[in-house]
Amino acid sequence: MNNIVIWGIIGAGLLIIIVCAIIRTQKDIERINVTLNKIAKQVGVQDTVTNELKSLILDGKKIEAIKKYRMVTGLGLLEAKEYVDSLCEKELK
């Protein structure tokens, strides 16, 4: 077998392993954030991030709200957008 093919297969395998590790880490972070939010709610810690996001949404800065939520939580773009969209729906009601 050609060396290039072998190295290509090894590279593809490593890439798959790295992508799986990244996905697993993102899911772990999401689970930890959910747990921390539950603990904070029980202890009575004010959710200043959500209040700040709502303020950005009301100011018409939805993209900035998504960026802020991603920065704070470490979540991906899709998850952050879905969360901010859910806040938008709550604000409209």
Side-chain angles (χ1 to χ4, degrees):
M1 200 180 262
N2 191 339
N3 283 342
I4 295 174
V5 173
I6 293 171
W7 283 110
I9 292 171
I10 291 171
L14 288 174
L15 183 62
I16 290 170
I17 291 170
I18 291 170
V19 169
C20 289
I22 290 171
I23 291 170
R24 189 175 338 114
T25 302
Q26 286 178 330
K27 292 198 181 288
D28 288 344
I29 290 171
E30 186 175 346
R31 187 175 26 81
I32 290 168
N33 280 327
V34 168
T35 303
L36 285 174
N37 287 336
K38 288 179 182 177
I39 292 170
K41 194 175 279 187
Q42 286 181 344
V43 173
V45 175
Q46 188 178 10
D47 186 1
T48 57
V49 172
T50 302
N51 293 339
E52 186 176 345
L53 295 177
K54 287 179 181 179
S55 177
L56 287 169
I57 291 167
L58 290 174
D59 290 342
K61 299 178 180 178
K62 186 176 174 182
I63 293 173
E64 286 184 42
I66 294 169
K67 287 180 184 179
K68 176 76 174 179
Y69 191 68
R70 288 188 71 196
M71 183 184 70
V72 170
T73 62
L75 293 175
L77 179 61
L78 180 61
E79 294 88 354
K81 183 182 180 308
E82 288 172 350
Y83 181 76
V84 169
D85 286 343
S86 73
L87 289 179
C88 289
E89 290 174 9
K90 288 178 186 176
E91 289 300 311
L92 292 176
K93 290 182 180 181

